Amino acid sequence: MVANSSSWDKKDDAWKVEASDINVKQITDEEFYNYFIVKDEVKDFIQLVQKKIIQAPKGYGKTLFLRKKASNFIKKHPNETFPRDGLCEDGKDHSIPILEDNTFKKNYYISEEDLKNKSRVSGKISNIKNAWMASIIQAAYDYVNNVGGKSVNKTIASFRNNLSLSAKELEKKLNDGTLQGFDQECYIFIDNIDRMVDFGYEIFLSDDERHIEDIGIFQFWVAIQVAFCLAINELPKKHIHVYGAVRHEALSLLDESYFEYADLTKLQRLMTCLDYNKNDIEKIYFNNIALSMGCSPISKNEQREAIVKYYGLRKPVIFNGLIKKNEKLFDYLYRHTLYKPRDIVNIGYKIRYTCKKHIADREEFIKMVVHEKSLYKSIVGDYLTEIGSPLQGKINVLANYNSDIKNILTINDLKTICRWINRIGKDEECDECIDCDKFHYFCYLYNAGLLGVEKAQSKKVTQKFQLPHQRDEILTGGYRSIHRLRKKDYFFLHPLLYGRAKFSANTKILIGDGDLFYKIYKYGIRSDDGRKYNVSMYLSENWKIKFKVIFDKNFSVYEELLRTAKDILDSQEIRKYLPESEIEKVYEMASKLEINRFSTHIDI
C-alpha cells in the first residue's frame, strides 16, 4: 500500500457517520470516487444532469451523494445553482404539524377512510404534487431575484405554507402571471424531505387513536415523497431542475393497486436506487481504513495486512469463544450491524476514537466496543426511531419474561412469547397475525432486520435477515408479513439483541445474514459442505459429539434429536444395517450425553 498525495487531509474524513461532517467541496471527483463510492450507479447520479432523484433507506449515503452533486453543480453553474452555498435545502428544519390545520387535513391528509377510495387518494396526491410545483416555481423565482435575501430552504418553507391553502388557491398560485413569465435556468437541491413529517403527536393519543393516526401520518409521509418525484417529472417549467433524496420505504410500497396516480415507470429515468450487499459494505469499511491510514484504496490481497497494521493485532481475526474458532474481523463487525453503511462506519468510529495506545489486548477491546450500550443505542435505538417502529421504547418488553429467550426459536416459541406479551391465556383463541390487532413483537423485529429466517440454498440452509432496502413494510405495522414467517421452521435473533431483554446465545452457530444454519433431517443431517450423512455416520458422529452443532437442553431441536434417535434405534428395518456393537454404543452414549449450556457471552 503506497500513500497517496491528496488535496485534503484524508485522515479527517475517515469514519464520518454524518454526511455533514464531510467537506465535499474540498474533495476532488477522483478522490471521492475512489474512497466514497462503491457502486457505479452513484457515479452516474453525481455526473448526469437527468438523474434527479436518489432513492435509498436511511443510512445509505443519500445526503452525501446529493451534496457532492450540488457541489459539482455550483462549480459549473455558480449563478444558477441554489442554495448558493453548494449544499442543499434541509427539510428537517421545517416539520409539518399535521394535526393542527383543518384545511390541511381536508385537502392533503390521507386518512384510513380515504384508503378505501382510490380516486380520493389520487386526488390528494395530486393536490400535494401541485403544492410542490407551486413551491418549486416560487422558490426558483425568489432565488434568482434574491427575494428574501440569502435565506435558504425557500422551496421547503413555501411548500409548508402551501399546505394551508385550498386546492383552488393552489391552482391560482400556479397560474400567477409573474411566475408564468419566469424563464431563467436554475438548479435547486433539496434533502431530508422524509423528515418534514411531525411524529410528535403520539404521546397525546390513546393506543386506538394512535393506530388510526399512524396509518394517516404514514400515508402522508409516503405521499409527500411520491408527490415530490411527480412534481419534478411534471414541472411545466422545463428550465427549472430540482434534485432531491427520498426514502426507499416510501416508494417501494407503490404499485398500481396502492396508488393509481403514481406511475413509477415514468420516474425511473430520473431515479438512482441504492442497494448494498456484504461485499459493498466491506469495500466501504476498507476504504475508511485507507482514509484513516492516509494510503491508497486497499485491494483484496492487502486486506489482511491492513487489518493487522491498523488495529495492532497479531492476526486479522477475532477469536470467537462460542464456536472456538477464529472469525474474520470484518465478518464479526458486519454481523453486529443492521447491514447499513452507516453502521459499519459507526463501529469503525467507536473503535478508532476510544482505543488507546496502552491497551494491550486489542482483540478483547474491539469486542468490548461492539457490545457497548451506547453503540447498541446508536445502531438499533436510533434506527427504530428513524423508521417509526412500534418497537420504540418497547424493545425490552421481555425484561420480566420468566426464562431466557434463546437466539434460535421455533414458531411455537414465538407464539408462546407473543401470548405472554399480549396476556393471552393458554385456553384463549390466538388469531393468525394477519387477523390480529395485538402487539406484533416478532413481526416488528423481522421487519426491522432483527429477526432472521431460514433460507435453503443449493443443498445447505442459511440464515436470512431483511436488508434495509428489502424492508418494505417497516412503517406499516408489519401485519402482512407474519404469514411468511410461519412457513419457516426456525427463527434467529440478531446478535445486537443478545444480553438485552433476556436474549441469550445457546448454540455454536454464528447468527448473521448469509451465515450457515445446520439443518437436522429425520434420518440424517447435512454438514456445512452440504453432504448428507447416512444413518450410521449420523449416530456415531452425533452421539460422540463430533457434529458441529450442540444444542441447549431447553432447545426444542435437542428434543427432536432424541426423538429421532429413538425412532432410528426402534426401527427394526434400520437395525438390520447397523452392527449390534454400534447400537449398544449409541444407547450408552445417550445415557451419558451432556449438552453444553451457553449463557450470554462477549464472543457471540
Side-chain angles (χ1 to χ4, degrees):
M1 294 178 287
V2 181
N4 264 350
S5 59
S6 175
S7 59
W8 98 107
D9 185 356
K10 292 197 284 281
K11 291 185 179 182
D12 285 344
D13 281 314
W15 309 117
K16 296 297 185 184
V17 179
E18 298 296 334
S20 57
D21 294 330
I22 299 174
N23 193 340
V24 293
K25 298 178 185 178
Q26 296 183 19
I27 307 175
T28 67
D29 286 351
E30 182 182 1
E31 290 165 337
F32 192 85
Y33 298 150
N34 282 341
Y35 291 98
F36 293 97
I37 292 181
V38 297
K39 310 282 282 188
D40 289 340
E41 50 264 43
V42 175
K43 190 182 296 186
D44 290 342
F45 171 75
I46 292 172
Q47 294 177 340
L48 301 178
V49 174
Q50 66 269 30
K51 290 293 183 181
K52 297 187 175 182
I53 301 165
I54 187 162
Q55 172 196 345
K58 198 81 170 173
Y60 266 43
K62 299 187 301 297
T63 295
L64 177 64
F65 303 138
L66 189 62
R67 284 185 172 214
K68 179 58 180 172
K69 189 179 184 92
S71 177
N72 285 6
F73 267 67
I74 204 76
K75 294 174 184 176
K76 296 176 183 176
H77 311 283
N79 297 318
E80 295 86 27
T81 302
F82 305 97
R84 282 261 170 82
D85 59 3
L87 298 177
C88 307
E89 292 195 30
D90 196 338
K92 69 182 178 183
D93 298 327
H94 291 270
S95 62
I96 303 166
I98 66 179
L99 298 185
E100 298 175 5
D101 190 320
N102 290 328
T103 301
F104 161 79
K105 295 193 76 170
K106 177 184 176 182
N107 291 292
Y108 309 103
Y109 182 80
I110 300 174
S111 67
E112 189 171 18
E113 192 65 29
D114 290 334
L115 292 175
K116 300 174 184 177
N117 187 326
K118 290 182 180 178
S119 62
R120 192 185 299 174
V121 173
S122 296
K124 290 193 174 183
I125 290 181
S126 179
N127 289 342
I128 299 170
K129 179 201 71 174
N130 289 338
W132 272 120
M133 287 199 293
S135 304
I136 290 167
I137 297 170
Q138 180 71 60
Y141 178 87
D142 291 347
Y143 273 129
V144 170
N145 294 285
N146 200 30
V147 178
K150 295 182 179 179
S151 62
V152 295
N153 297 336
K154 293 184 179 182
T155 313
I156 289 173
S158 177
F159 175 70
R160 190 179 187 275
N161 292 332
N162 283 341
L163 291 179
S164 64
L165 302 178
S166 67
K168 287 186 178 180
E169 289 172 322
L170 261 183
E171 189 174 343
K172 182 180 178 182
K173 193 168 185 178
L174 272 171
N175 294 321
D176 180 273
T178 303
L179 298 182
Q180 287 296 317
F182 174 71
D183 60 359
Q184 192 163 334
E185 196 89 11
C186 65
Y187 307 87
I188 301 174
F189 289 80
I190 305 174
D191 192 21
N192 286 323
I193 295 168
D194 60 300
R195 298 183 67 177
M196 293 181 67
V197 178
D198 183 3
F199 287 96
Y201 70 90
E202 63 178 39
I203 59 174
F204 305 108
L205 303 179
S206 68
D207 287 344
D208 288 342
E209 290 172 326
R210 184 178 302 131
H211 170 67
I212 293 170
E213 295 297 348
D214 270 343
I215 293 173
I217 291 175
F218 167 68
Q219 301 301 340
F220 178 68
W221 181 86
V222 169
I224 64 168
Q225 294 178 78
V226 173
F228 174 76
C229 298
L230 292 169
I232 291 176
N233 186 51
E234 299 177 28
L235 267 175
K237 301 291 185 180
K238 298 304 178 184
H239 54 274
I240 301 175
H241 308 275
V242 181
Y243 301 88
V246 295
R247 287 273 289 278
H248 158 84
E249 297 91 343
L251 270 63
S252 66
L253 288 168
L254 300 178
D255 55 36
E256 290 181 1
S257 63
Y258 200 86
F259 282 140
E260 286 184 332
Y261 189 87
D263 186 354
L264 290 184
T265 58
K266 294 180 181 178
L267 304 178
Q268 285 178 346
R269 63 185 179 83
L270 304 177
M271 288 187 179
T272 295
C273 303
L274 287 186
D275 60 76
Y276 289 105
N277 57 33
K278 185 177 179 180
N279 289 334
D280 296 328
I281 294 180
E282 186 176 39
K283 290 177 184 176
I284 292 169
Y285 171 71
F286 280 101
N287 282 349
N288 274 275
I289 289 180
L291 279 169
S292 192
M293 296 175 72
C295 67
S296 307
I298 297 166
S299 69
K300 200 80 174 174
N301 294 333
E302 296 170 325
Q303 288 180 356
R304 293 173 62 87
E305 177 192 348
I307 289 286
V308 170
K309 184 176 179 181
Y310 186 63
Y311 291 109
L313 297 170
R314 292 188 297 274
K315 295 180 180 179
V317 295
I318 290 287
F319 180 75
N320 196 304
L322 192 63
I323 61 171
K324 308 298 182 189
K325 283 187 176 180
N326 287 327
E327 182 181 9
K328 284 174 60 178
L329 178 60
F330 172 76
D331 291 346
Y332 175 77
L333 299 179
Y334 181 74
R335 286 195 306 107
H336 290 83
T337 71
L338 285 174
Y339 317 117
K340 299 183 298 175
R342 174 183 286 178
D343 295 348
I344 201 70
V345 172
N346 199 349
I347 291 178
Y349 172 85
K350 292 280 187 181
I351 294 173
R352 176 188 174 186
Y353 288 101
T354 56
C355 186
K356 308 298 181 184
K357 290 183 179 180
H358 67 271
I359 296 176
D361 195 336
R362 298 293 178 90
E363 188 176 331
E364 285 301 313
F365 174 78
I366 290 172
K367 292 179 186 178
M368 183 186 73
V369 170
V370 168
H371 288 273
E372 270 186 357
K373 286 185 179 180
S374 61
L375 189 63
Y376 167 81
K377 181 185 180 302
S378 62
I379 291 180
V380 177
D382 291 353
Y383 179 66
L384 295 179
T385 301
E386 287 168 0
I387 66 173
S389 171
L391 288 171
Q392 296 175 74
K394 296 183 179 180
I395 193 76
N396 294 327
V397 70
L398 300 178
N400 297 318
Y401 192 65
N402 55 13
S403 63
D404 282 356
I405 298 168
K406 304 306 178 185
N407 60 348
I408 301 181
L409 301 167
T410 65
I411 189 64
N412 287 331
D413 295 328
L414 265 59
K415 287 181 179 179
T416 300
I417 297 168
C418 195
R419 279 178 171 273
W420 180 87
I421 292 172
N422 291 291
R423 300 179 181 178
I424 300 173
K426 292 182 179 179
D427 299 327
E428 294 181 59
E429 286 280 332
C430 188
D431 296 329
E432 296 285 324
C433 282
I434 197 167
D435 300 316
C436 176
D437 60 355
K438 303 294 185 183
F439 185 72
H440 294 242
Y441 186 75
F442 291 106
C443 292
Y444 300 140
L445 286 180
Y446 172 73
N447 288 339
L450 291 166
L451 183 74
V453 296
E454 293 179 52
K455 183 178 181 180
Q457 284 186 324
S458 62
K459 299 183 180 180
K460 62 184 179 181
V461 178
T462 60
Q463 305 161 41
K464 176 60 184 167
F465 287 80
Q466 293 283 79
L467 301 182
H469 57 273
Q470 298 166 336
R471 299 171 196 162
D472 295 344
E473 298 177 4
I474 52 176
L475 288 162
T476 62
Y479 299 144
R480 290 179 290 166
S481 63
I482 192 65
H483 67 278
R484 293 200 296 269
L485 300 187
R486 286 185 181 276
K487 296 177 182 178
K488 305 297 181 181
D489 293 325
Y490 301 107
F491 303 87
F492 311 96
L493 287 171
H494 197 288
L496 283 168
L497 296 175
Y498 302 168
R500 310 179 203 284
K502 289 197 173 182
F503 294 139
S504 61
N506 71 341
T507 83
K508 285 192 172 182
I509 299 175
L510 290 178
I511 303 297
D513 182 61
D515 284 309
L516 286 167
F517 175 55
Y518 304 95
K519 180 76 176 180
I520 295 180
Y521 293 82
K522 188 168 184 180
Y523 291 117
I525 57 172
R526 283 184 179 173
S527 63
D528 53 352
D529 61 3
R531 181 165 55 93
K532 191 169 182 178
Y533 284 69
N534 61 31
V535 172
S536 179
M537 291 177 66
Y538 169 76
L539 290 171
S540 62
E541 293 209 18
N542 259 300
W543 295 109
K544 288 180 181 178
I545 318 300
K546 288 183 179 178
F547 181 51
K548 292 183 178 180
V549 183
I550 300 178
F551 292 97
D552 184 278
K553 284 182 180 179
N554 293 330
F555 186 48
S556 58
V557 176
Y558 170 71
E559 297 170 8
E560 181 183 328
L561 187 71
L562 292 179
R563 286 196 300 271
T564 302
K566 185 177 182 299
D567 290 344
I568 292 173
L569 293 173
D570 289 346
S571 169
Q572 295 300 317
E573 185 67 26
I574 292 177
R575 279 175 179 266
K576 296 177 183 179
Y577 303 102
L578 296 177
E580 191 65 31
S581 59
E582 183 171 348
I583 294 174
E584 292 176 2
K585 183 166 53 179
V586 169
Y587 276 120
E588 180 184 355
M589 292 299 295
S591 65
K592 295 179 179 180
L593 180 64
E594 292 184 2
I595 304 296
N596 292 338
R597 190 181 181 94
F598 295 96
S599 59
T600 305
H601 192 280
I602 201 169
D603 284 314
I604 54 182

